[in-house]
Amino acid sequence: MNTTDPLELLRAWIAAVNARDAEKVMSLYHEDAMLLPTFSPEVRHGLDRIQDYFTHVYTNDRVTVTLVEETTTVQDLGNGVAVLGGLYNWVLEKDGVVRKPTARYTYCVDMKASRPILHHHSSALPEG
């Protein structure tokens, strides 16, 4: 990744997810990354487990995610490390059934690393 901007990294992740480019998505996660995914109860630690999650997500006929820009925050922790948080909207379609969950996300990233996503938490926004 050739950027030091955490928000640009997040946009690259969204573009890769929307392009169904699993290789690009995986290239953004650190070798020892942890993912607490939106659509699975399993904590995914390490690239093999994270890749397994995206393989499952891509069994949908359509997968898109859109950033809710006004909710996005970036906290600069110094030395290239940042935490991003906010909301994004998903669209998942399988066999003609469309789901549109909104999820909250948190990323901890090290922008000095070649694979900057260290920790990614995403969970469906509760109704209420």
Side-chain angles (χ1 to χ4, degrees), residues 75-90:
Q75 296 171 287
D76 183 353
L77 302 181
N79 204 27
V81 176
V83 175
L84 298 93
L87 301 174
Y88 40 39
N89 295 314
W90 288 86

Side-chain angles (χ1 to χ4, degrees), residues 6-66:
L7 193 52
E8 192 174 319
L9 169 65
L10 176 58
R11 289 192 175 110
W13 179 88
I14 288 170
V17 169
N18 291 344
R20 300 176 77 96
D21 186 345
E23 185 176 319
K24 177 63 176 174
V25 171
M26 293 308 303
S27 75
L28 301 175
Y29 285 90
H30 189 271
E31 292 84 357
D32 196 35
M34 180 174 291
L35 169 64
L36 298 138
T38 316
F39 308 111
S40 170
E42 182 182 333
V43 173
R44 307 292 177 129
H45 185 235
L47 292 178
D48 288 344
R49 299 305 305 142
I50 294 170
Q51 184 167 7
D52 179 66
Y53 170 71
F54 282 102
T55 298
H56 171 73
V57 168
Y58 286 140
T59 64
N60 288 281
D61 301 322
R62 180 169 56 134
V63 175
T64 59
V65 61
T66 307

